[in-house]
């Protein structure tokens, strides 16, 4: 297969490497690959969210499978455009990607499917939202409805802080993403991520993982996209994994299917393990970054074939296999991250690190 990877972060490097190692891959391409990806892909100079240009390149290069990494091209409808001309695309449609692109939509799907999640309300005026918080009488979590690059969620410590968060997000702190908000009950417990392959109806889950959001050692400092990840969660138990599959992933996928919005691609459930069992904090319509790096280290088999089967609705023919040994991914960043930092610095020592 000739495979094209869209995106150029650490996640896409891990995907490209595993796809390149797949027996069914003959040729690998990527949009504006990072330096690490250059060793296993050929570069195409196209912006991932310029859907028309990506489609044209895929056509010109006779691509058999397009694998979309980040959320922006998914929400822009790249997979719909590829499928419309018969190119198998791994990733959800624009409408299904709204599971990540709109928190209000995700909550509505969960409510209809009976998926355990925090109690919530959806608002577009501060007055109504503040009234809801006052009735609840405790600090709540305020979330911008749309994509806000990780800045759209405010976890408050008091009712008055929750009021301020409502004004902040509805007042334009994250732009248009915050025109509508979800205000939800604050949950307590350790967090886990479960990511699954989904082809509309069939669900095949990867092992559990957890990312570390704070920038500093010992869980200190501001939140980031993730400073590292590991898999699996120790002592989670197959019972809980089965519970997450049966009470979260499958009902969500069936609910979307029954609405005529089948979900295809990676479905990422961010969960909190509360005293009442696992509850969903968020869905993403893609692999996690850096969870992907940790999970693919454990993946055994032909990833290109698994993603192709997913893209062509044959996931029921696929069984996933994983190395039982745990994996850890550490993120090294430029100084100053996540605030102000220099990009484009060379990274030395990669060859030596790969040898050890
Ligand atoms: P989200 O983007 O919705 O996953 O939110 C980002 C982070 O905010 C999560 O990883 C949690 O640490 C925290 N968070 C989100 N929702 C809640 C909630 N209902 N209760 C407590 N913490 C939350
Ligand atoms: N690591 C969190 C995410 O990819 O959303």
């Amino acid at each position: 297969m000739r495979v094209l990877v869209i995106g150029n972060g650490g996640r896409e490097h891990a995907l490209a490497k595993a796809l390149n190692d797949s027996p069914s891959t003959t040729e690998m391409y990527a949009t504006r690959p990072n330096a690490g990806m250059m060793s296993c892909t050929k570069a195409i100079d196209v912006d991932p969210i310029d859907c028309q240009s990506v489609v044209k390149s895929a056509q010109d290069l006779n691509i058999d499978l397009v694998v979309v990494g980040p959320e922006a091209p998914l929400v822009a409808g790249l997979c719909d455009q590829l499928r419309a001309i018969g190119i198998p695309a791994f990733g959800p449609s624009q409408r299904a990607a709204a599971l990540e692109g709109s928190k209000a939509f995700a909550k509505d799907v969960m409510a209809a499917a009976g998926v355990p999640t925090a109690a919530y309300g959806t608002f577009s005026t501060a007055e109504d939202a503040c009234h809801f918080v006052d009735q609840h009488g405790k600090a709540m979590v305020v979330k911008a409805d749309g994509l806000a690059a990780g800045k759209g969620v405010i976890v408050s410590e008091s009712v008055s802080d929750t009021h301020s968060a409502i004004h902040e997000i509805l007042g334009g702190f994250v732009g248009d993403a915050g025109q509508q908000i979800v205000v939800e009950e604050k949950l307590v417990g350790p967090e886990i991520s479960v990511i699954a392959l989904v082809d509309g109806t069939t669900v095949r889950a990867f092992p559990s993982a957890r990312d570390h959001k704070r920038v500093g050692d010992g869980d200190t400092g501001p939140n980031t996209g993730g400073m590292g990840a590991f898999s699996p969660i120790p002592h989670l138990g197959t019972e809980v994994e089965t519970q997450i599959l049966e009470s979260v992933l499958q009902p969500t996928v069936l609910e979307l299917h029954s609405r005529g919005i089948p979900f295809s691609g990676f479905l990422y459930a961010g969960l909190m393990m509360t005293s009442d069992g696992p509850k969903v904090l968020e869905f993403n319509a893609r692999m996690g970054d850096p969870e992907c790096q940790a999970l693919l280290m454990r993946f055994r088999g032909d990833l290109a074939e698994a993603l192709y089967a997913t893209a062509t609705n044959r996931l029921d023919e696929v069984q996933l296999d994983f190395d039982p040994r745990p994996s850890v991914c550490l993120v090294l960043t430029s100084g100053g991250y996540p605030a102000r930092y220099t990009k484009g610095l060379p990274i030395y020592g990669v060859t030596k690190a790969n040898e050890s």
Side-chain angles (χ1 to χ4, degrees):
M1 278 193 284
R2 297 162 66 82
V3 181
L4 167 61
V5 173
I6 308 298
N8 60 5
R11 167 183 51 207
E12 287 75 24
H13 185 184
L15 282 167
K17 196 166 171 292
L19 289 165
N20 191 49
D21 290 343
S22 301
S24 55
T25 302
T26 52
E27 205 84 55
M28 283 287 307
Y29 297 87
T31 52
R32 299 183 179 165
N34 64 42
M37 294 166 83
M38 296 290 256
S39 62
C40 58
T41 62
K42 290 183 182 140
I44 313 181
D45 187 17
V46 171
D47 184 346
I49 59 165
D50 177 358
C51 297
Q52 266 184 331
S53 300
V54 174
V55 170
K56 184 164 183 320
S57 301
Q59 246 174 337
D60 292 349
L61 293 166
N62 252 328
I63 296 294
D64 300 297
L65 174 68
V66 179
V67 177
V68 185
E71 59 274 25
L74 296 170
V75 172
L78 177 58
C79 290
D80 307 72
Q81 293 195 30
L82 288 161
R83 284 185 199 117
I85 58 156
I87 299 179
F90 177 84
S93 66
Q94 185 173 36
R95 289 179 72 205
L99 210 54
E100 171 164 2
S102 165
K103 297 215 186 260
F105 174 72
K107 291 298 263 191
D108 184 60
V109 168
M110 283 188 263
V115 169
T117 185
Y120 76 106
T122 304
F123 305 95
S124 49
T125 71
E127 197 187 342
D128 291 346
C130 290
H131 181 63
F132 180 72
V133 177
D134 291 339
Q135 278 186 322
H136 184 69
K138 278 193 270 184
M140 299 188 84
V141 179
V142 183
K143 302 183 172 186
D145 176 52
L147 292 180
K151 294 187 192 132
V153 176
I154 302 179
V155 182
S156 309
E157 299 303 328
S158 68
V159 169
S160 70
D161 280 356
T162 311
H163 284 193
S164 308
I166 288 168
H167 287 289
E168 212 170 313
I169 295 190
L170 281 175
F173 173 63
V174 291
D176 286 351
Q179 279 184 352
Q180 194 178 203
I181 55 172
V182 168
V183 179
E184 69 178 32
E185 171 198 8
K186 196 167 150 181
L187 303 174
V188 185
E191 289 182 40
I192 71 166
S193 304
V194 177
I195 297 157
L197 284 175
V198 174
D199 74 349
T201 48
T202 303
V203 180
R204 293 273 187 266
F206 277 61
S208 58
R210 177 176 294 150
D211 68 339
H212 278 270
K213 295 216 161 59
R214 305 288 195 103
V215 72
D217 286 346
D219 241 359
T220 55
N223 272 346
T224 69
M227 295 304 295
F230 63 86
S231 170
I233 307 288
H235 317 299
L236 187 67
T238 48
E239 218 171 278
V240 178
E241 280 176 323
T242 307
Q243 193 184 359
I244 292 169
L245 182 67
E246 290 177 356
S247 74
V248 172
L249 296 170
Q250 278 167 347
T252 302
V253 167
L254 292 181
E255 172 63 24
L256 284 169
H257 194 264
S258 74
R259 293 183 184 204
I261 314 172
F263 188 99
S264 177
F266 285 122
L267 177 58
Y268 172 130
L271 304 133
M272 203 167 250
M273 305 301 295
T274 74
S275 49
D276 293 335
K279 293 193 179 181
V280 176
L281 296 176
E282 65 162 346
F283 281 121
N284 293 320
R286 51 171 175 80
M287 248 297 179
D289 187 345
E291 290 91 329
C292 184
Q293 293 85 309
L295 289 171
L296 290 185
M297 259 187 267
R298 300 186 56 204
F299 182 84
R300 290 200 289 212
D302 188 321
L303 185 69
E305 176 49 30
L307 302 194
Y308 187 75
T310 307
T312 52
N313 301 321
R314 292 182 297 104
L315 184 56
D316 58 338
E317 296 169 14
V318 173
Q319 294 299 333
L320 302 183
D321 187 21
F322 295 91
D323 191 322
R325 293 173 297 170
S327 61
V328 178
C329 162
L330 264 179
V331 173
L332 306 180
T333 69
S334 185
Y337 177 82
R340 287 171 61 171
Y341 57 97
T342 312
K343 289 188 182 175
L345 295 173
I347 301 171
Y348 299 103
V350 175
T351 311
K352 200 170 166 205
N354 282 339
E355 283 164 7
S356 57

